[in-house]
Amino acid sequence: QVQLVESGGGLVQPGGSLRLSCAASGSIFTIISMGWYRQAPGKQRELVADKNSGGGTNYADSVKGRFTISRDNAKNTVHLQMNDLKTEDTAVYYCNARLYTNTRSWDDYWGQGTQVTVSS
């Protein structure tokens, strides 16, 4: 009913930039928030950045000043501009959307993940 599709991952050298995009489609009543999580091998999934419906944002301390999250509400799309990438940013990045599909309850939905590798 709800699908999130990510794009924009790849291989980049330290100090480089990538821009991730995620588009949500399907039975969306209203979006509470959209954001990005990442998971490195052997580690738990962690929040990178998110943006709520009021425009408020949250960033992991490790990415503040380097990453910028933005949303295009008309297209149900979220972007993550990643600058000054570091080796420790290497992970699979997952798009997340917390949304209502009806007026009764909300759920979290996840994209399939896109690999970001930062290596020299």
Side-chain angles (χ1 to χ4, degrees), residues 1-118:
Q1 292 182 337
V2 177
Q3 185 178 33
L4 276 59
V5 179
E6 303 113 326
S7 62
L11 174 65
V12 66
Q13 295 184 9
S17 298
L18 287 172
R19 182 175 175 85
L20 305 183
S21 298
C22 173
S25 62
S27 300
I28 301 171
F29 183 75
T30 187
I31 296 176
I32 300 170
S33 64
M34 295 188 73
W36 293 92
Y37 289 69
R38 67 187 180 188
Q39 187 167 21
K43 296 186 177 181
Q44 296 184 19
R45 189 173 299 187
E46 64 177 357
L47 172 70
V48 178
D50 64 18
K51 183 180 284 289
N52 62 37
S53 59
T57 57
N58 294 296
Y59 291 95
D61 288 341
S62 60
V63 308
K64 288 180 179 177
R66 299 187 296 120
F67 292 9
T68 303
I69 189 169
S70 60
R71 283 178 61 184
D72 184 339
N73 292 327
K75 298 180 179 180
N76 293 330
T77 300
V78 64
H79 306 278
L80 185 69
Q81 179 66 45
M82 304 186 293
N83 297 326
D84 191 25
L85 283 160
K86 304 180 182 300
T87 301
E88 51 264 40
D89 295 318
T90 296
V92 177
Y93 284 69
Y94 295 91
C95 179
N96 167 264
R98 178 168 291 182
L99 54 86
Y100 287 92
T101 56
N102 51 54
T103 61
R104 292 173 292 179
S105 62
W106 57 264
D107 280 307
D108 281 315
Y109 296 86
W110 298 91
Q112 79 284 356
T114 184
Q115 177 71 46
V116 172
T117 302
V118 185

